[in-house]
Amino acid sequence: MMFANFKQRLREGPQHGCFVTFPCAALTEFTAAMGFDFLLLDNEHGNFNPQTLEDMVRATHCRQIPCIVRVPYNRAEYIRKALDFGADGVQVPLTNTVDDVVAANKPSLFPPEGERGVAFLPRSANYGMHEDKGRYLREANAARLLSVHIETVEAVDNLDAILASNQADVYFVGPGDLAVSMGYGHDVNHPEVISTIQMCIKKIVAAGGIAGTYVGTPERAREAMSWGATYLVTAVNSHMSNGAKIYLTAAKL
């Protein structure tokens, strides 16, 4: 399943996504049914084996929304596998330099644009039942979304060059890693961290890129949107735990 219009939707206005870190297709489908615009399967910090990841991609598509996979490392084998499973794009952590972003881009595109291995039997190619193979390759390249992380001081320092390379679609500013890299520990609300996130988002938008970030609260989402971010990601974990706390607090009165 290819959502050819997803990148255009991100350019037209905010799209609200949700991290799923649990290796469970049923929970993935349940999260997709909540009304999010896309899901971001977190195989960087989640513990997914290949079969589970493919089932989670399939479960997301059952609800007719795009599925992005955050890969564990910036390595071609993880990027290619996620796309072969049918993911609509990949998100790559710790892309600190232009070379890092180029390394993420090449295995995500079929030749001549990139170096993704050509195969027509995986789920992404409808198990070999695409009659027009050339059309599949062209449409897959056009629809693929590449999101790269801006989450370290090094990446922030290199942001102008990264944007000028025009290798990615989304530039995802990661507050947690950025706060640590800046020396503020886990304090994602430190004024210097917030001002750096704002600066990055505005710079990305001014360069014609799609800006993304993690937003834990509606207030932070509105703030990021006011700066121009449209790829907005929360996490199902916090909403599950917060809902449980609200229930238990009320029930135990």
Side-chain angles (χ1 to χ4, degrees):
M1 180 176 293
M2 289 188 239
F3 291 87
N5 65 340
F6 183 46
K7 287 188 281 190
Q8 182 58 39
R9 283 160 48 191
L10 285 164
R11 293 196 175 280
E12 293 172 352
Q15 297 290 296
H16 296 272
C18 188
F19 270 124
V20 178
T21 58
F22 301 102
C24 176
L27 182 57
T28 302
E29 185 180 13
F30 176 56
T31 307
M34 292 178 183
F36 290 102
D37 298 307
F38 67 99
L39 290 194
L40 183 52
L41 308 185
D42 188 7
N43 201 21
E44 181 188 13
H45 299 298
N47 184 25
F48 308 160
N49 64 45
Q51 182 62 61
T52 300
L53 180 58
E54 183 173 22
D55 284 343
M56 292 170 72
V57 174
R58 184 179 292 110
T60 309
H61 287 163
C62 282
R63 292 293 174 171
Q64 301 294 310
I65 66 172
C67 179
I68 311 300
V69 173
R70 180 158 74 172
V71 296
Y73 305 102
N74 186 4
R75 287 180 13 199
E77 61 266 36
Y78 291 113
I79 293 168
R80 289 168 177 155
K81 275 293 185 184
L83 294 172
D84 277 352
F85 292 158
D88 302 287
V90 290
Q91 185 157 309
V92 182
L94 295 172
T95 46
N96 297 322
T97 67
V98 171
D99 286 345
D100 290 339
V101 178
V102 171
N105 185 43
K106 284 184 177 180
S108 72
L109 293 171
F110 290 118
E113 289 85 354
E115 298 174 351
R116 181 180 172 187
V118 176
F120 299 109
L121 298 182
R123 179 176 181 272
S124 59
N126 198 27
Y127 306 105
M129 291 184 284
H130 269 293
E131 293 185 4
D132 189 335
K133 303 297 192 292
R135 179 180 177 183
Y136 159 69
L137 297 176
R138 293 190 299 272
E139 291 182 348
N141 276 1
R144 174 238 59 173
L145 181 138
L146 174 61
S147 173
V148 297
H149 279 222
I150 306 299
E151 58 183 349
T152 66
V153 171
E154 183 182 7
V156 172
D157 289 343
N158 290 327
L159 183 55
D160 287 332
I162 288 171
L163 292 169
S165 72
N166 196 31
Q167 294 285 309
D169 303 298
V170 175
Y171 303 86
F172 185 85
V173 185
D177 285 282
L178 183 58
V180 171
S181 180
M182 292 177 67
Y184 297 116
H186 63 279
D187 187 5
V188 297
N189 295 312
H190 191 282
E192 289 296 324
V193 177
I194 297 299
S195 65
T196 301
I197 294 171
Q198 179 183 16
M199 179 271 292
C200 288
I201 289 174
K202 288 188 173 182
K203 184 174 287 191
I204 292 162
V205 174
I210 297 168
T213 192
Y214 177 82
V215 289
T217 65
E219 293 76 21
R220 187 51 52 84
R222 286 192 287 271
E223 185 175 53
M225 286 187 283
S226 73
W227 299 333
T230 58
Y231 182 94
L232 304 157
V233 185
T234 186
V236 70
N237 309 53
S238 58
H239 300 298
M240 291 169 66
S241 59
N242 289 341
K245 289 176 183 176
I246 291 170
Y247 166 77
L248 290 172
T249 299
K252 291 181 177 181
L253 288 177

